[in-house]
């Protein structure tokens, strides 16, 4: 079959790889209908050392079950399913607590002999615990929005939930990428009173307004903090959803957080140390967030997607074929695309 392999920074190719086969009785094989390129993939695209063997890439997909192992129940060939960006057994104590990303039997797509999502098919470990059936036909117009449950919409939801977003709460979202826009949508869904989006790309912030942002601040750093503080009477906001992962974004997040507020970071950290000293301590600001256990949220978010109350798939602004995946990486790296949908 054909699959996307990264051989180093800026070197993405679509090559022939072995067809996936069942290895464990708990496995399934899924034919991919839709996958995506993520901002996390771009971190590797920008910095991966050269590797002759290459790395399978991609962690967001939905597709059709083609085969299941002997110990898999509840799934049959022909089912349309979505997979979270990490697989998990959904039975261990961590999964029971909603922390599927800490599952001892779980892992990441593309590592340890597991297929990446940007290909024609995927072997799915822990299939019964990982895959969620979708009650729509394979040609449904909802597929882009359903795909966001694998990562970006559920990650934005994680940011909002861990920050305590709800009615009468004011929210700042830092970052106008797909996760940041999803966080705006998630905050709106949870009833936030005011949502300020900090971003400077007009096409993206316009979508953020459509998703529920009540204000946009284009300035960054200290200037952005000053603008937000002025807009909130000097107080800041109850919740800050940091969806970038840079040190500057984290510093901004603490700068705009209200005393007693919460900063939830879901952007993959690109720093080793952060500003968590006396100022944060003195103002009783909580730091939370982390890698999103998206499997824990899929069933909760699914009805709103199916019934059209939210349309997170609007973050996809370009659709490409599998063979065009290298072009999709270039487009996202050059910021000519917000988020790329891959259709094998």
């Amino acid at each position: 079959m054909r699959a996307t392999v990264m051989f180093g920074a800026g070197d993405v190719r679509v090559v022939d790889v072995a067809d996936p086969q069942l290895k464990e009785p708990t496995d399934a094989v899924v034919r991919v209908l839709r996958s995506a390129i993520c901002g996390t993939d771009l971190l590797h695209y920008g910095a991966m050392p050269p590797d002759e063997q290459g790395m399978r890439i991609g962690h967001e997909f939905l597709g059709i079950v083609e085969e299941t192992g002997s110990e898999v129940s509840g799934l049959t060939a022909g089912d349309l399913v979505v997979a979270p960006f990490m697989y998990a057994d959904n039975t261990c104590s961590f999964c029971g607590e909603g922390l599927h990303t800490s599952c001892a039997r779980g892992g990441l797509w593309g590592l340890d002999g597991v297929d990446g999502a940007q290909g024609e098919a995927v072997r799915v470990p822990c299939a019964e615990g990982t895959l969620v059936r979708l009650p729509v036909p394979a040609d449904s117009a909802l597929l882009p929005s359903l795909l966001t449950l694998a990562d970006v919409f559920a990650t934005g939801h994680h940011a909002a939930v861990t920050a305590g977003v709800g009615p009468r709460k004011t929210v700042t979202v830092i970052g106008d990428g797909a996760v940041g826009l999803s966080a705006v949508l998630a905050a709106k869904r949870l009833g936030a009173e005011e949502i300020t989006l900090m971003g400077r790309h007009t096409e993206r912030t316009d979508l953020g307004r459509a998703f529920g942002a009540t204000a946009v601040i284009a300035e960054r750093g200290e200037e952005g903090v000053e603008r937000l503080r002025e807009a909130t009477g000097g107080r800041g906001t109850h919740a800050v959803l940091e969806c970038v992962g840079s040190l500057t974004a984290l510093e901004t997040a603490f700068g705009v957080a209200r005393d007693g507020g919460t900063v939830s970071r879901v952007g993959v950290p690109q720093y080793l140390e952060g500003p968590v000293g006396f100022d944060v301590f003195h103002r009783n600001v909580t730091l939370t967030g982390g890698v999103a256990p998206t499997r824990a949220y899929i069933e909760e978010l699914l009805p709103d997607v199916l019934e059209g109350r939210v349309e997170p798939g609007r973050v996809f602004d370009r659709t490409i074929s599998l063979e065009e995946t290298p072009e999709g990486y270039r487009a996202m790296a050059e910021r000519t695309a917000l988020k790329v949908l891959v259709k094998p």
Side-chain angles (χ1 to χ4, degrees):
M1 73 170 190
R2 303 285 283 172
T4 305
V5 178
M6 187 175 291
F7 292 90
D11 187 2
V12 173
R13 311 173 208 167
V14 180
V15 301
D16 292 323
V17 300
D19 292 340
Q21 296 181 348
L22 300 177
K23 292 184 178 180
E24 302 290 340
T26 52
D27 289 349
V29 173
V30 173
R31 174 170 52 87
V32 176
L33 291 182
R34 302 288 188 275
S35 62
I37 300 174
C38 181
T40 305
D41 298 330
L42 293 184
L43 297 178
H44 298 294
Y45 186 72
M48 178 181 168
D51 183 348
E52 292 183 0
Q53 299 299 316
M55 176 179 68
R56 296 286 295 276
I57 196 75
H59 54 260
E60 304 158 280
F61 71 98
L62 56 76
I64 301 293
V65 175
E66 291 198 327
E67 188 179 6
T68 59
S70 60
E71 295 182 12
V72 177
S73 61
L75 295 169
T76 59
D79 285 344
L80 178 66
V81 293
V82 64
F85 72 81
M86 292 183 68
Y87 58 88
D89 62 20
N90 205 26
T91 60
C92 75
S93 60
F94 284 112
C95 290
E97 296 168 5
L99 198 61
H100 297 71
T101 47
S102 293
C103 177
R105 295 181 62 199
L108 288 163
W109 307 107
L111 299 180
D112 301 320
V114 178
D115 299 310
Q118 292 164 17
E120 293 182 315
V122 175
R123 177 180 70 87
V124 180
C126 302
E128 185 176 335
T130 298
L131 299 173
V132 178
R133 290 170 52 180
L134 301 172
V136 299
D139 61 352
S140 172
L142 293 174
L143 292 190
S145 287
L146 292 168
L147 179 57
T148 67
L149 299 176
D151 189 346
V152 291
F153 183 38
T155 295
H157 178 71
H158 180 64
V161 168
T162 54
V165 173
R168 297 181 300 280
K169 293 296 181 70
T170 55
V171 179
T172 300
V173 175
I174 300 176
D176 57 10
V179 172
L181 297 176
S182 297
V184 170
L185 186 61
K188 175 67 174 179
R189 178 182 174 275
L190 291 172
E193 180 177 295
E194 296 178 0
I195 305 169
T196 300
L197 173 60
M198 300 190 76
R200 60 178 183 174
H201 302 89
T202 303
E203 290 184 359
R204 300 182 181 192
T205 57
D206 285 349
L207 180 56
R209 289 184 186 275
F211 276 176
T214 54
V216 170
I217 291 178
E219 291 81 1
R220 292 184 173 187
E222 293 183 4
E223 187 177 0
V225 172
E226 184 177 346
R227 281 286 311 281
L228 190 286
R229 287 277 175 181
E230 288 176 355
T232 57
R235 293 184 297 275
T237 60
H238 297 100
V240 185
L241 315 185
E242 194 278 283
C243 303
V244 177
S246 69
L247 181 58
T248 298
L250 184 64
E251 291 170 342
T252 298
F254 283 124
V256 301
R258 182 186 178 108
D259 287 13
T262 301
V263 171
S264 178
R265 59 173 187 168
V266 294
V268 177
Q270 300 160 49
Y271 50 85
L272 297 177
E273 297 180 354
V276 291
F278 181 77
D279 175 70
V280 172
F281 173 80
H282 176 71
R283 294 192 294 122
N284 281 284
V285 176
T286 297
L287 176 63
T288 184
V291 60
T294 59
R295 179 62 183 84
Y297 300 127
I298 292 176
E299 282 96 348
E300 175 185 352
L301 299 173
L302 181 59
D304 280 0
V305 174
L306 292 174
E307 295 169 21
R309 286 189 288 270
V310 294
E311 194 178 351
R314 293 177 65 184
V315 297
F316 292 107
D317 59 349
R318 186 172 303 189
T319 300
I320 61 173
S321 69
L322 178 60
E323 297 296 330
E324 296 172 313
T325 304
E327 179 185 332
Y329 272 86
R330 286 192 293 271
M332 286 186 61
E334 294 169 0
R335 293 187 177 272
T336 59
L338 167 60
K339 188 167 180 65
V340 173
L341 183 72
V342 182
K343 186 177 179 181

